[in-house]
Amino acid sequence: MSNSAPLIDQFHRRITYLRLSVTDRCDLRCAYCMPERQEFLPRKDVLSLEELHRLALGFIARGVTKLRLTGGEPLVRRDMIELVQALGRKLGDGLEELTLTTNGTRLAEFADAIAAAGVKRINLSLDTLDRAAFARLARRDSLPQVLEGIAAARAAGLQVKLNTVALKGINEGELPDLIAWAHGQGMDLTLIEVMPLGEVEEDRFDHYLPLSDVRAALERRFTLTSTGHRTGGPARYFDVAETGGRLGFITPLTNNFCDGCNRVRVTATGQLYACLGGAEQVDLRAALRSDDPDGALVAALDQAMRIKPLRHAFAIDRPGAAPALARHMSMTGG
Ligand code: SAM
Ligand code: SF4
């Protein structure tokens, strides 16, 4: 294979989207994502700035046009802005979109630099606007910083899309107001089903809320009209007549969307996971740290295309079940 051949898997899906985790560390501890005493990786195991950059260039050379930086919390990594700036220089030269997913706590500090590097849109995770509920769920009282971060991002000209995990007994009753608030500010919002990834203290079954039920409840207040709008991801979008905004649903559990998968994920240690919900993996760090990094990276990406599974196989169907995968979402990024 040449080092510019497109990435096409065994099911003829073309991979054009990379989600790259730059750290497994985070300044929050969202209860559905990680335990309070999460053990983080030793720094030597995490890819350096140069390695992350080289790896991203290897993907872009193979036809990846969209790159999302994630984590953990990407903005807690000290050299993150340098990476955003370096990758921003590839925009229009192979890369069509550079974006990130953040919890927003440090966005007020970095929004201007992110926008200046060429980022146009970001995803921001926000599950509640109630300060006490936020502090309980994220185990840190950081809602004011997040709201400042949102304001700074918008002032910097970044388009902000909110992602909200729908949680029974936690934010279920607040979802209509959260949607109305987001739309009132000109932000789209996407709801996500909680996924069984990694051990946490609570049983996720207790808070799992099928989005089919959420949608039925929302339709008592809002008029939802299905739209063909797509952002290259698995969300299905609806226009909300009453707010004039757009509402997305990501339903890994109630409605599988793997047929159109166009992405792979790489952890901060350079492990490529061919599927968010699968164990299939290729060690890109070993390739990058070998005698022939470029050649080894090409071979590793070809291997990834051979092992990418047709679909994920996770479910939340009974209380007390072990997570489908031991790996936390903060490893593979959202
Ligand atoms: N820290 C950043 C943030 O929160 O936006 C980026 C990484 S975080 C792992 C990415 C997304 O994954 C967030 O929207 C978060 O709500 C979501 N997430 C984390 N664990 C999840 C789980 N078990 N099920 C569903 N979504 C999850
Ligand atoms: Fe941190 Fe994001 Fe996980 Fe929350 S969802 S603990 S912000 S990585």
Side-chain angles (χ1 to χ4, degrees), residues 217-239:
L218 288 173
E219 283 181 325
R220 289 199 280 278
R221 170 157 165 194
F222 296 130
T223 315
L224 305 183
T225 311
S226 177
T227 73
H229 176 76
R230 299 301 299 267
T231 54
R236 293 286 173 274
Y237 287 94
F238 293 79
D239 285 335

Side-chain angles (χ1 to χ4, degrees), residues 55-204:
L55 187 138
L57 295 185
F59 274 96
I60 294 168
R62 303 285 306 261
V64 162
T65 55
K66 178 168 173 177
L67 179 53
R68 177 177 300 279
L69 301 173
T70 177
E73 173 47 40
L75 296 178
V76 303
R77 184 171 167 143
R78 252 183 271 130
D79 51 12
M80 171 66 181
I81 286 300
E82 285 166 62
L83 181 65
V84 174
Q85 288 164 342
L87 294 174
R89 290 193 274 278
K90 287 299 288 180
L91 285 165
D93 176 21
L95 190 59
E96 289 168 13
E97 183 170 23
L98 175 63
T99 181
L100 67 148
T101 302
T102 174
N103 63 26
T105 58
R106 310 195 62 184
L107 204 48
E109 191 181 331
F110 295 116
D112 285 337
I114 290 170
V119 173
K120 300 266 180 280
R121 304 188 303 158
I122 60 168
N123 283 2
L124 190 140
S125 306
L126 182 64
D127 300 323
T128 176
L129 283 173
D130 178 309
R131 185 164 175 178
F134 185 104
R136 269 195 307 278
L137 182 62
R139 302 188 182 110
R140 304 288 184 271
D141 181 20
S142 304
L143 182 64
Q145 290 92 300
V146 174
L147 295 178
E148 265 177 54
I150 293 176
R154 291 166 50 76
L158 293 167
Q159 205 180 317
V160 180
K161 180 170 81 70
L162 299 186
N163 281 340
T164 303
V165 179
L167 297 160
K168 197 195 313 178
I170 296 181
N171 62 4
E172 186 178 5
E174 190 195 336
L175 294 176
D177 289 344
L178 190 58
I179 293 164
W181 176 81
H183 288 179
Q185 312 249 333
M187 297 183 285
D188 288 349
L189 183 147
T190 293
L191 295 169
I192 305 175
E193 286 171 346
V194 71
M195 291 176 263
L197 303 176
E199 257 335 316
V200 290
E201 287 89 343
E202 297 175 13
D203 187 344
R204 289 195 184 86

